Amino acid sequence: MTKPIPRIGSRRNSRISSRKSGCRTPIGVIHVQASFNNTIVTVTDPQGRVVSWSSAGTCGFKGTRRGTPFAAQTAAGNAIRTVVDQGMQRAEVMIKGPGLGRDAALRAIRRSGILLNFVRDVTPMPHNGCRPPKKRRV
């Protein structure tokens, strides 16, 4: 005989709303990850919940063209356009990675009309990191 699971709340009575339309954040954080092969732009609210994102791959660029500055500029424009429509006015920018799209993405963010509080480089740097594998003997 199985025990009945008590229902805490009924989903029938509450209206399920779209999460994307409800986000009205005047301030946000824009994360740019620029690798050599792709550029990913993520827009979050100050708590870290993703509001909008885009990458060079989702913008339609294939192969080596994803790593170009133009692809990064397009990705940044696509990610920011949606949050500007939702009412974002100020943002902080965190740029990570060594890729070619760093400057192009930042240029696209500046042109979008969002006021930038600060731009920070958060590329991880090893302080002489892991021990390398031992040398091969021939």
Side-chain angles (χ1 to χ4, degrees), residues 99-125:
L100 297 170
R102 293 166 57 103
D103 301 332
L106 185 58
R107 229 174 285 127
I109 293 165
R110 281 248 166 86
R111 268 204 305 267
S112 68
I114 291 181
L115 297 170
L116 302 183
N117 286 357
F118 62 81
V119 179
R120 182 179 288 171
D121 187 9
V122 290
T123 306
M125 285 287 178

PDB file of all heavy atoms in Angstrom, residues 99-125:
ATOM      1  N   GLY A  99      40.167  35.582 -26.813  1.00  0.00           N
ATOM      2  CA  GLY A  99      39.753  35.582 -28.226  1.00  0.00           C
ATOM      3  C   GLY A  99      39.770  36.927 -28.907  1.00  0.00           C
ATOM      4  O   GLY A  99      39.939  37.984 -28.287  1.00  0.00           O
ATOM      5  N   LEU A 100      39.552  36.875 -30.222  1.00  0.00           N
ATOM      6  CA  LEU A 100      39.546  38.087 -31.047  1.00  0.00           C
ATOM      7  C   LEU A 100      38.295  38.931 -30.817  1.00  0.00           C
ATOM      8  O   LEU A 100      38.283  40.117 -31.135  1.00  0.00           O
ATOM      9  CB  LEU A 100      39.612  37.694 -32.529  1.00  0.00           C
ATOM     10  CG  LEU A 100      40.858  36.950 -32.999  1.00  0.00           C
ATOM     11  CD1 LEU A 100      40.653  36.428 -34.404  1.00  0.00           C
ATOM     12  CD2 LEU A 100      42.055  37.869 -32.954  1.00  0.00           C
ATOM     13  N   GLY A 101      37.244  38.338 -30.278  1.00  0.00           N
ATOM     14  CA  GLY A 101      35.974  39.045 -30.159  1.00  0.00           C
ATOM     15  C   GLY A 101      35.834  39.937 -28.947  1.00  0.00           C
ATOM     16  O   GLY A 101      34.791  40.562 -28.765  1.00  0.00           O
ATOM     17  N   ARG A 102      36.874  40.028 -28.112  1.00  0.00           N
ATOM     18  CA  ARG A 102      36.774  40.825 -26.888  1.00  0.00           C
ATOM     19  C   ARG A 102      36.433  42.283 -27.175  1.00  0.00           C
ATOM     20  O   ARG A 102      35.448  42.828 -26.675  1.00  0.00           O
ATOM     21  CB  ARG A 102      38.100  40.789 -26.124  1.00  0.00           C
ATOM     22  CG  ARG A 102      38.476  39.485 -25.553  1.00  0.00           C
ATOM     23  CD  ARG A 102      39.925  39.492 -25.138  1.00  0.00           C
ATOM     24  NE  ARG A 102      40.227  40.548 -24.206  1.00  0.00           N
ATOM     25  CZ  ARG A 102      40.393  40.385 -22.901  1.00  0.00           C
ATOM     26  NH1 ARG A 102      40.325  39.189 -22.391  1.00  0.00           N
ATOM     27  NH2 ARG A 102      40.655  41.398 -22.123  1.00  0.00           N
ATOM     28  N   ASP A 103      37.266  42.932 -28.004  1.00  0.00           N
ATOM     29  CA  ASP A 103      37.100  44.363 -28.265  1.00  0.00           C
ATOM     30  C   ASP A 103      35.849  44.634 -29.090  1.00  0.00           C
ATOM     31  O   ASP A 103      35.150  45.619 -28.864  1.00  0.00           O
ATOM     32  CB  ASP A 103      38.324  44.916 -28.995  1.00  0.00           C
ATOM     33  CG  ASP A 103      39.604  44.725 -28.188  1.00  0.00           C
ATOM     34  OD1 ASP A 103      39.493  44.682 -26.955  1.00  0.00           O
ATOM     35  OD2 ASP A 103      40.675  44.600 -28.797  1.00  0.00           O
ATOM     36  N   ALA A 104      35.570  43.745 -30.039  1.00  0.00           N
ATOM     37  CA  ALA A 104      34.397  43.941 -30.897  1.00  0.00           C
ATOM     38  C   ALA A 104      33.107  43.843 -30.092  1.00  0.00           C
ATOM     39  O   ALA A 104      32.182  44.628 -30.288  1.00  0.00           O
ATOM     40  CB  ALA A 104      34.403  42.914 -32.022  1.00  0.00           C
ATOM     41  N   ALA A 105      33.055  42.889 -29.147  1.00  0.00           N
ATOM     42  CA  ALA A 105      31.861  42.754 -28.308  1.00  0.00           C
ATOM     43  C   ALA A 105      31.695  43.977 -27.412  1.00  0.00           C
ATOM     44  O   ALA A 105      30.577  44.483 -27.242  1.00  0.00           O
ATOM     45  CB  ALA A 105      31.959  41.490 -27.468  1.00  0.00           C
ATOM     46  N   LEU A 106      32.798  44.475 -26.870  1.00  0.00           N
ATOM     47  CA  LEU A 106      32.733  45.667 -26.012  1.00  0.00           C
ATOM     48  C   LEU A 106      32.279  46.886 -26.812  1.00  0.00           C
ATOM     49  O   LEU A 106      31.497  47.705 -26.329  1.00  0.00           O
ATOM     50  CB  LEU A 106      34.090  45.918 -25.367  1.00  0.00           C
ATOM     51  CG  LEU A 106      34.173  47.050 -24.362  1.00  0.00           C
ATOM     52  CD1 LEU A 106      33.187  46.835 -23.232  1.00  0.00           C
ATOM     53  CD2 LEU A 106      35.570  47.186 -23.822  1.00  0.00           C
ATOM     54  N   ARG A 107      32.759  46.989 -28.056  1.00  0.00           N
ATOM     55  CA  ARG A 107      32.338  48.095 -28.916  1.00  0.00           C
ATOM     56  C   ARG A 107      30.837  48.037 -29.194  1.00  0.00           C
ATOM     57  O   ARG A 107      30.143  49.054 -29.188  1.00  0.00           O
ATOM     58  CB  ARG A 107      33.120  48.040 -30.235  1.00  0.00           C
ATOM     59  CG  ARG A 107      33.714  49.365 -30.611  1.00  0.00           C
ATOM     60  CD  ARG A 107      34.600  49.259 -31.836  1.00  0.00           C
ATOM     61  NE  ARG A 107      35.877  48.643 -31.522  1.00  0.00           N
ATOM     62  CZ  ARG A 107      36.395  47.600 -32.170  1.00  0.00           C
ATOM     63  NH1 ARG A 107      35.755  47.057 -33.185  1.00  0.00           N
ATOM     64  NH2 ARG A 107      37.558  47.107 -31.824  1.00  0.00           N
ATOM     65  N   ALA A 108      30.316  46.822 -29.431  1.00  0.00           N
ATOM     66  CA  ALA A 108      28.881  46.661 -29.687  1.00  0.00           C
ATOM     67  C   ALA A 108      28.054  47.001 -28.450  1.00  0.00           C
ATOM     68  O   ALA A 108      26.968  47.584 -28.561  1.00  0.00           O
ATOM     69  CB  ALA A 108      28.601  45.229 -30.135  1.00  0.00           C
ATOM     70  N   ILE A 109      28.578  46.659 -27.261  1.00  0.00           N
ATOM     71  CA  ILE A 109      27.877  46.978 -26.017  1.00  0.00           C
ATOM     72  C   ILE A 109      27.826  48.491 -25.811  1.00  0.00           C
ATOM     73  O   ILE A 109      26.791  49.050 -25.428  1.00  0.00           O
ATOM     74  CB  ILE A 109      28.562  46.282 -24.817  1.00  0.00           C
ATOM     75  CG1 ILE A 109      28.389  44.768 -24.916  1.00  0.00           C
ATOM     76  CG2 ILE A 109      28.004  46.780 -23.495  1.00  0.00           C
ATOM     77  CD1 ILE A 109      29.302  43.981 -24.008  1.00  0.00           C
ATOM     78  N   ARG A 110      28.937  49.170 -26.091  1.00  0.00           N
ATOM     79  CA  ARG A 110      28.978  50.639 -25.951  1.00  0.00           C
ATOM     80  C   ARG A 110      27.979  51.307 -26.891  1.00  0.00           C
ATOM     81  O   ARG A 110      27.340  52.297 -26.532  1.00  0.00           O
ATOM     82  CB  ARG A 110      30.379  51.139 -26.303  1.00  0.00           C
ATOM     83  CG  ARG A 110      31.372  50.940 -25.192  1.00  0.00           C
ATOM     84  CD  ARG A 110      31.792  52.285 -24.616  1.00  0.00           C
ATOM     85  NE  ARG A 110      32.487  52.106 -23.340  1.00  0.00           N
ATOM     86  CZ  ARG A 110      33.782  51.867 -23.247  1.00  0.00           C
ATOM     87  NH1 ARG A 110      34.529  51.744 -24.318  1.00  0.00           N
ATOM     88  NH2 ARG A 110      34.330  51.736 -22.053  1.00  0.00           N
ATOM     89  N   ARG A 111      27.857  50.780 -28.115  1.00  0.00           N
ATOM     90  CA  ARG A 111      26.958  51.385 -29.104  1.00  0.00           C
ATOM     91  C   ARG A 111      25.488  51.152 -28.801  1.00  0.00           C
ATOM     92  O   ARG A 111      24.629  51.848 -29.336  1.00  0.00           O
ATOM     93  CB  ARG A 111      27.261  50.812 -30.491  1.00  0.00           C
ATOM     94  CG  ARG A 111      28.265  51.616 -31.275  1.00  0.00           C
ATOM     95  CD  ARG A 111      28.094  51.381 -32.748  1.00  0.00           C
ATOM     96  NE  ARG A 111      28.166  49.961 -33.063  1.00  0.00           N
ATOM     97  CZ  ARG A 111      29.268  49.309 -33.420  1.00  0.00           C
ATOM     98  NH1 ARG A 111      30.407  49.956 -33.527  1.00  0.00           N
ATOM     99  NH2 ARG A 111      29.244  48.023 -33.686  1.00  0.00           N
ATOM    100  N   SER A 112      25.188  50.158 -27.942  1.00  0.00           N
ATOM    101  CA  SER A 112      23.790  49.774 -27.724  1.00  0.00           C
ATOM    102  C   SER A 112      23.004  50.804 -26.922  1.00  0.00           C
ATOM    103  O   SER A 112      21.787  50.739 -26.869  1.00  0.00           O
ATOM    104  CB  SER A 112      23.724  48.436 -26.998  1.00  0.00           C
ATOM    105  OG  SER A 112      24.216  48.588 -25.683  1.00  0.00           O
ATOM    106  N   GLY A 113      23.679  51.725 -26.258  1.00  0.00           N
ATOM    107  CA  GLY A 113      22.982  52.746 -25.482  1.00  0.00           C
ATOM    108  C   GLY A 113      22.905  52.438 -24.002  1.00  0.00           C
ATOM    109  O   GLY A 113      22.345  53.223 -23.241  1.00  0.00           O
ATOM    110  N   ILE A 114      23.442  51.307 -23.568  1.00  0.00           N
ATOM    111  CA  ILE A 114      23.476  50.982 -22.145  1.00  0.00           C
ATOM    112  C   ILE A 114      24.667  51.701 -21.507  1.00  0.00           C
ATOM    113  O   ILE A 114      25.765  51.677 -22.051  1.00  0.00           O
ATOM    114  CB  ILE A 114      23.595  49.448 -21.945  1.00  0.00           C
ATOM    115  CG1 ILE A 114      22.306  48.765 -22.369  1.00  0.00           C
ATOM    116  CG2 ILE A 114      23.913  49.104 -20.507  1.00  0.00           C
ATOM    117  CD1 ILE A 114      22.321  47.278 -22.197  1.00  0.00           C
ATOM    118  N   LEU A 115      24.449  52.338 -20.353  1.00  0.00           N
ATOM    119  CA  LEU A 115      25.539  52.994 -19.623  1.00  0.00           C
ATOM    120  C   LEU A 115      26.321  51.923 -18.870  1.00  0.00           C
ATOM    121  O   LEU A 115      25.731  51.068 -18.200  1.00  0.00           O
ATOM    122  CB  LEU A 115      24.979  54.016 -18.641  1.00  0.00           C
ATOM    123  CG  LEU A 115      24.217  55.187 -19.254  1.00  0.00           C
ATOM    124  CD1 LEU A 115      23.506  55.976 -18.182  1.00  0.00           C
ATOM    125  CD2 LEU A 115      25.169  56.082 -20.022  1.00  0.00           C
ATOM    126  N   LEU A 116      27.643  51.968 -18.963  1.00  0.00           N
ATOM    127  CA  LEU A 116      28.481  50.962 -18.325  1.00  0.00           C
ATOM    128  C   LEU A 116      29.024  51.489 -17.005  1.00  0.00           C
ATOM    129  O   LEU A 116      29.632  52.552 -16.955  1.00  0.00           O
ATOM    130  CB  LEU A 116      29.644  50.580 -19.244  1.00  0.00           C
ATOM    131  CG  LEU A 116      29.267  50.034 -20.622  1.00  0.00           C
ATOM    132  CD1 LEU A 116      30.510  49.640 -21.380  1.00  0.00           C
ATOM    133  CD2 LEU A 116      28.327  48.867 -20.504  1.00  0.00           C
ATOM    134  N   ASN A 117      28.782  50.718 -15.927  1.00  0.00           N
ATOM    135  CA  ASN A 117      29.349  51.083 -14.619  1.00  0.00           C
ATOM    136  C   ASN A 117      30.845  50.826 -14.618  1.00  0.00           C
ATOM    137  O   ASN A 117      31.620  51.672 -14.211  1.00  0.00           O
ATOM    138  CB  ASN A 117      28.688  50.263 -13.508  1.00  0.00           C
ATOM    139  CG  ASN A 117      27.294  50.744 -13.233  1.00  0.00           C
ATOM    140  OD1 ASN A 117      26.831  51.714 -13.809  1.00  0.00           O
ATOM    141  ND2 ASN A 117      26.610  50.054 -12.342  1.00  0.00           N
ATOM    142  N   PHE A 118      31.249  49.622 -15.026  1.00  0.00           N
ATOM    143  CA  PHE A 118      32.664  49.311 -15.156  1.00  0.00           C
ATOM    144  C   PHE A 118      32.843  48.147 -16.102  1.00  0.00           C
ATOM    145  O   PHE A 118      31.909  47.413 -16.402  1.00  0.00           O
ATOM    146  CB  PHE A 118      33.328  49.028 -13.794  1.00  0.00           C
ATOM    147  CG  PHE A 118      32.753  47.845 -13.069  1.00  0.00           C
ATOM    148  CD1 PHE A 118      33.128  46.548 -13.389  1.00  0.00           C
ATOM    149  CD2 PHE A 118      31.872  48.040 -12.030  1.00  0.00           C
ATOM    150  CE1 PHE A 118      32.609  45.470 -12.704  1.00  0.00           C
ATOM    151  CE2 PHE A 118      31.349  46.959 -11.338  1.00  0.00           C
ATOM    152  CZ  PHE A 118      31.719  45.676 -11.676  1.00  0.00           C
ATOM    153  N   VAL A 119      34.067  48.018 -16.604  1.00  0.00           N
ATOM    154  CA  VAL A 119      34.459  46.901 -17.457  1.00  0.00           C
ATOM    155  C   VAL A 119      35.590  46.193 -16.740  1.00  0.00           C
ATOM    156  O   VAL A 119      36.604  46.808 -16.417  1.00  0.00           O
ATOM    157  CB  VAL A 119      34.921  47.389 -18.851  1.00  0.00           C
ATOM    158  CG1 VAL A 119      35.340  46.215 -19.711  1.00  0.00           C
ATOM    159  CG2 VAL A 119      33.831  48.184 -19.531  1.00  0.00           C
ATOM    160  N   ARG A 120      35.407  44.899 -16.472  1.00  0.00           N
ATOM    161  CA  ARG A 120      36.409  44.150 -15.718  1.00  0.00           C
ATOM    162  C   ARG A 120      36.864  42.943 -16.525  1.00  0.00           C
ATOM    163  O   ARG A 120      36.045  42.253 -17.137  1.00  0.00           O
ATOM    164  CB  ARG A 120      35.797  43.696 -14.399  1.00  0.00           C
ATOM    165  CG  ARG A 120      36.761  42.952 -13.508  1.00  0.00           C
ATOM    166  CD  ARG A 120      36.105  42.557 -12.220  1.00  0.00           C
ATOM    167  NE  ARG A 120      35.888  43.720 -11.363  1.00  0.00           N
ATOM    168  CZ  ARG A 120      35.174  43.701 -10.256  1.00  0.00           C
ATOM    169  NH1 ARG A 120      34.590  42.599  -9.867  1.00  0.00           N
ATOM    170  NH2 ARG A 120      35.036  44.788  -9.538  1.00  0.00           N
ATOM    171  N   ASP A 121      38.174  42.696 -16.507  1.00  0.00           N
ATOM    172  CA  ASP A 121      38.731  41.505 -17.157  1.00  0.00           C
ATOM    173  C   ASP A 121      38.826  40.409 -16.109  1.00  0.00           C
ATOM    174  O   ASP A 121      39.542  40.554 -15.121  1.00  0.00           O
ATOM    175  CB  ASP A 121      40.113  41.817 -17.735  1.00  0.00           C
ATOM    176  CG  ASP A 121      40.659  40.666 -18.559  1.00  0.00           C
ATOM    177  OD1 ASP A 121      39.909  39.713 -18.822  1.00  0.00           O
ATOM    178  OD2 ASP A 121      41.844  40.712 -18.928  1.00  0.00           O
ATOM    179  N   VAL A 122      38.073  39.324 -16.310  1.00  0.00           N
ATOM    180  CA  VAL A 122      38.040  38.233 -15.331  1.00  0.00           C
ATOM    181  C   VAL A 122      38.652  36.960 -15.905  1.00  0.00           C
ATOM    182  O   VAL A 122      38.283  35.858 -15.519  1.00  0.00           O
ATOM    183  CB  VAL A 122      36.609  37.970 -14.830  1.00  0.00           C
ATOM    184  CG1 VAL A 122      36.130  39.098 -13.965  1.00  0.00           C
ATOM    185  CG2 VAL A 122      35.648  37.739 -15.986  1.00  0.00           C
ATOM    186  N   THR A 123      39.614  37.110 -16.838  1.00  0.00           N
ATOM    187  CA  THR A 123      40.285  35.953 -17.422  1.00  0.00           C
ATOM    188  C   THR A 123      41.068  35.213 -16.345  1.00  0.00           C
ATOM    189  O   THR A 123      41.875  35.826 -15.643  1.00  0.00           O
ATOM    190  CB  THR A 123      41.247  36.402 -18.530  1.00  0.00           C
ATOM    191  OG1 THR A 123      40.530  37.196 -19.475  1.00  0.00           O
ATOM    192  CG2 THR A 123      41.858  35.212 -19.241  1.00  0.00           C
ATOM    193  N   PRO A 124      40.841  33.902 -16.178  1.00  0.00           N
ATOM    194  CA  PRO A 124      41.583  33.180 -15.139  1.00  0.00           C
ATOM    195  C   PRO A 124      43.054  33.052 -15.502  1.00  0.00           C
ATOM    196  O   PRO A 124      43.399  32.702 -16.628  1.00  0.00           O
ATOM    197  CB  PRO A 124      40.901  31.804 -15.099  1.00  0.00           C
ATOM    198  CG  PRO A 124      40.170  31.681 -16.375  1.00  0.00           C
ATOM    199  CD  PRO A 124      39.885  33.052 -16.880  1.00  0.00           C
ATOM    200  N   MET A 125      43.910  33.377 -14.552  1.00  0.00           N
ATOM    201  CA  MET A 125      45.354  33.298 -14.763  1.00  0.00           C
ATOM    202  C   MET A 125      45.947  32.287 -13.796  1.00  0.00           C
ATOM    203  O   MET A 125      45.750  32.425 -12.579  1.00  0.00           O
ATOM    204  CB  MET A 125      46.009  34.659 -14.491  1.00  0.00           C
ATOM    205  CG  MET A 125      45.783  35.656 -15.571  1.00  0.00           C
ATOM    206  SD  MET A 125      46.758  35.263 -16.994  1.00  0.00           S
ATOM    207  CE  MET A 125      46.235  36.538 -18.091  1.00  0.00           C
TER     208      MET A 125
END
